[in-house]
Amino acid sequence: MHVIATAGHVDHGKSTLVRALTGMEPDRWAEERRRGMTIDLGFAWTTLASGERIALVDVPGHERFVTNMLAGVGPCPAVMMVVAADQGWQAQSAEHLAALDALGVRHGLAVVTRADLADPEPARRQLHDHLSRTSLAGIGSVVVSGRTRQGISELKAALARLAAALPEPDTEDAVRLWIDRVFTIKGAGTVVTGTLTRGTLRVGDELETDGGRVRIRGLQTLGEQAERVSATARVAVNLRGVDRDDLSRGMALVTPEAWTSAQVIDVRLTAEPARRREEAVLHLGSAAVPVRIRLLGADTARLALARPLPLRTGDRGLLRDPGLREIVAGVVVLDVRPAALRRRGAAAARAAALGEVTLPDAAALLRWHGLLTGRELRAMGCPPEGEPVAGDWYADPERWSSLTRRLVEHVSQRPAHDPGVTVDAVTHLLGLPDRRLAEALVVPPLLAEGGRILLAGRSLPPAIAQAVAQLTADLAERPFDAPTAERLDELGLTGKALAAALRAGAVMSIGKNVVLMPDALDRAAAMLAELPSPFTVSDARVALATSRRVALPLLECLDARGITHRVDNDRRALRRHG
């Protein structure tokens, strides 16, 4: 199924067009049919000759009902932009198109209606001229008359082409169903409807809405009962565990713990506001939420929402000034859990950080937040990459190196007779959210004994311990990038000082001026085990991200310990590989 919304000025024939396409009446209210004007969302559907099922969301065109229009268009992946041949481009044509452009809608069809009342070509040229400056530039167009059915077969063929060009939805993703209608059915209870754009709903599934849990009692799509419905689809969901009065348009049903409930967000503005505003309404999905705006940079802002919404990075919405009835700007969500801006200059620094990315990935979120769990990263819209540092925790490499350095410095500065510091004390000292992170920070020259963290070779003088701590930080990200002789001299790790560190087991030497951490051989063996065997010195050098100066003596040490062995003059293999 594909879901397509209508858009365009009032009385340009959108509802008539839907009736001609589907044979269904989209206007649900008697007042709408009496006045001949759509004031709320209408829904209809049809099956094309290709077998594709098309659901249509018919939106009101009057300026007083733009909020309703945005609730219908917001979740839809495609649109029919409608202009009447006898009236041409009008005020709400412009506002509807500005909204679609702000939302980044790229898939659609331009439709000139009421072709029986006037020459449609001027309106078609006008329509394409306006579209050419927006995200909908280049879409196809058709000319129709809903009254005489002129062009309806061509419209259906164009809709089939549009449906074929739409991107495939991710039916395995977490669900977020923006609610656009809530009602009750006698004997069934509370029912909500919406456009499902990702994921799959199943009878019996548990979902979350505004912090409460509900369960799916029944599903219906296009008037048919179903046990499961996958995106993209119009769907009605019969819910157990919630009253009709507890739900409303603009709320969402979501997979539990798969989305971030966000009330403060950092966003990129897709257009610079024409005038500075401190307040507006954020339209996202079917929601319309008042927000306070704090501009950070020329194209970035922080929004404080009147109520939380389930959001992820990359979500698109728009800001609208309901008083002036105009679109302020489109927004792209960059961070759904930004840190508070407390220090002087923090806003400018934040704008600079946001300006470094087009759309954040997991690395960017970790750079901004330091430490996040894999579940948090996924709920923020950026699945983690690489391996966690502890449990489900992922860390920004620079932040992790800084924490390692602080811990080594703290332990090395304690008195020589000190028995060490507890893991819980380190957790508190470093402001860590999980004691497992403190345990994971225990790397050479530190060791853990009896629940306490100690410095290996506790008798090292403070100056040497400090030098070892700095070397540890140097090697945190590239453990085999051994310091040069000049760097060792800078650190003070030469002569008697280096000898003392070696005796204490705080560092290890694998050759002249080639100094690494004590666990270097074990770490190297683990990384080399990932290589196809046998491997060359060059293969090892690349895998370990080091130089030949380090790779050769390192492999010789591994040979001497029986971890690797020579296969021929140039190649080696791990013992366990043969």
Side-chain angles (χ1 to χ4, degrees):
M1 182 196 310
H2 300 279
V3 183
I4 300 172
T6 64
H9 193 78
V10 63
D11 198 31
H12 275 213
K14 297 186 297 299
S15 298
T16 301
L17 182 65
V18 171
R19 292 186 198 99
L21 273 171
T22 67
M24 301 175 69
E25 174 57 66
D27 289 338
R28 294 180 292 112
W29 308 112
E31 182 185 358
E32 292 178 303
R33 293 190 287 272
R34 178 177 57 80
R35 294 169 61 181
M37 183 178 74
T38 301
I39 61 178
D40 203 355
L41 301 179
F43 311 101
W45 57 88
T46 189
T47 301
L48 303 177
S50 63
E52 293 279 0
R53 303 170 83 192
I54 301 291
L56 297 166
V57 179
D58 188 34
V59 307
H62 196 282
E63 63 180 354
R64 286 187 292 142
F65 306 115
V66 170
T67 296
N68 291 347
M69 173 267 180
L70 292 172
V73 168
C76 286
V79 66
M80 282 195 296
M81 186 69 202
V82 177
V83 171
D86 61 328
Q87 293 188 30
W89 195 256
Q90 298 290 323
Q92 287 313 110
S93 307
E95 184 170 12
H96 282 203
L97 180 57
L100 296 169
D101 187 40
L103 292 170
V105 178
R106 297 183 295 111
H107 301 281
L109 185 63
V111 183
V112 179
T113 57
R114 296 160 61 145
D116 57 314
L117 300 180
D119 178 3
E121 288 310 312
R124 182 172 2 207
R125 287 194 298 271
Q126 203 175 30
L127 177 51
H128 278 292
D129 179 57
H130 286 282
L131 290 172
S132 68
R133 299 185 287 274
T134 73
S135 59
L136 286 167
I139 63 173
S141 62
V142 293
V143 172
V144 301
S145 166
R147 189 176 66 84
T148 68
R149 297 191 62 81
Q150 171 193 345
I152 293 299
S153 60
E154 289 83 354
L155 175 58
K156 289 184 176 182
L159 287 173
R161 291 192 296 272
L162 172 60
L166 291 176
E168 287 294 321
D170 185 352
T171 59
E172 300 301 317
D173 197 4
V175 166
R176 180 178 58 182
L177 180 72
W178 290 106
I179 296 171
D180 54 36
R181 189 181 173 210
V182 185
F183 55 94
T184 56
I185 293 179
K186 188 174 182 180
T190 303
V191 177
V192 302
T193 67
T195 299
L196 181 66
T197 57
R198 68 179 84 205
T200 297
L201 293 169
R202 301 172 182 83
V203 173
D205 280 357
E206 188 175 64
L207 299 173
E208 200 168 56
T209 179
D210 275 16
R213 295 291 179 99
V214 297
R215 194 170 293 279
I216 298 177
R217 183 179 182 180
L219 291 169
Q220 191 178 94
T221 182
L222 306 190
E224 301 171 358
Q225 297 294 328
E227 286 297 309
R228 55 179 282 163
V229 178
S230 294
T232 301
R234 283 295 303 174
V235 62
V237 188
N238 183 198
L239 297 172
R240 179 183 289 117
V242 64
D243 291 333
R244 185 256 176 272
D245 292 340
D246 294 330
L247 300 175
S248 61
R249 175 179 293 173
M251 296 173 68
L253 297 176
V254 299
T255 301
E257 300 183 357
W259 299 83
T260 301
S261 181
Q263 196 154 7
V264 177
I265 58 176
D266 284 349
V267 302
R268 174 162 290 114
L269 305 176
T270 60
E272 189 172 350
R275 59 177 65 85
R276 191 179 184 91
R277 292 173 174 81
E278 294 184 353
E279 295 182 342
V281 173
L282 171 66
H283 294 268
L284 198 152
S286 65
V289 180
V291 298
R292 295 193 310 276
I293 305 170
R294 177 178 180 178
L295 291 177
L296 301 174
D299 67 345
T300 52
R302 176 158 295 185
L303 307 181
L305 283 61
R307 65 178 177 87
L309 294 177
L311 301 177
R312 286 181 177 177
T313 61
D315 279 338
R316 296 192 67 124
L318 62 87
L319 295 173
R320 184 173 183 268
D321 185 330
L324 297 175
R325 293 180 176 173
E326 67 180 21
I327 306 299
V328 175
V331 302
V332 179
V333 178
L334 299 179
D335 195 350
V336 291
R337 216 179 72 187
L341 302 172
R342 295 194 175 96
R343 299 179 181 176
R344 183 183 297 273
R350 181 58 171 160
L354 295 172
E356 292 175 354
V357 302
T358 302
L359 196 63
D361 56 11
L365 291 179
L366 288 170
R367 198 159 58 244
W368 298 341
H369 294 272
L371 297 164
L372 292 167
T373 64
R375 184 187 65 78
E376 288 172 326
L377 283 165
R378 283 183 285 271
M380 294 168 83
C382 297
E385 298 176 357
E387 295 299 319
V389 294
D392 189 38
W393 286 99
Y394 291 78
D396 171 56
E398 187 174 331
R399 174 69 180 279
W400 194 247
S401 295
S402 173
L403 290 169
T404 301
R405 184 166 56 252
R406 286 176 60 193
L407 179 56
V408 172
E409 288 173 356
H410 176 74
V411 175
S412 65
Q413 289 169 4
R414 298 175 74 88
H417 62 274
D418 188 87
V421 59
T422 66
V423 171
D424 288 335
V426 167
T427 304
H428 177 73
L429 171 74
L430 299 179
L432 300 174
D434 190 326
R435 73 191 309 273
R436 290 177 297 176
L437 292 165
E439 294 169 343
L441 287 168
V442 181
V443 296
L446 301 177
L447 57 87
E449 287 183 357
R452 290 180 175 272
I453 299 172
L454 313 169
L455 187 67
R458 199 64 193 86
S459 60
L460 281 176
I464 300 176
Q466 182 66 31
V468 170
Q470 187 57 57
L471 177 60
T472 302
D474 286 356
L475 296 175
E477 291 186 45
R478 295 172 64 93
F480 306 105
D481 190 13
T484 61
E486 291 78 13
R487 178 57 176 159
L488 288 173
D489 189 52
E490 265 181 39
L491 294 172
L493 279 176
T494 58
K496 292 182 179 179
L498 178 56
L502 290 168
R503 284 196 304 273
V507 297
M508 73 176 300
S509 175
I510 61 170
K512 185 177 180 181
N513 291 327
V514 183
V515 178
L516 298 172
M517 290 290 99
D519 63 344
L521 294 183
D522 289 337
R523 295 180 71 174
M527 294 178 72
L528 294 175
E530 300 297 319
L531 290 177
S533 189
F535 53 83
T536 65
V537 174
S538 180
D539 294 333
R541 179 184 63 76
V542 172
L544 300 176
T546 188
S547 63
R548 193 173 180 84
R549 176 180 77 92
V550 177
L552 273 174
L554 185 61
L555 289 171
E556 289 168 359
C557 285
L558 291 171
D559 289 345
R561 297 195 181 193
I563 297 173
T564 58
H565 69 97
R566 285 181 177 274
V567 174
D568 52 37
N569 285 338
D570 189 48
R571 297 183 301 163
R572 286 175 169 80
L574 290 173
R575 288 285 180 189
R576 60 183 168 185
H577 288 159

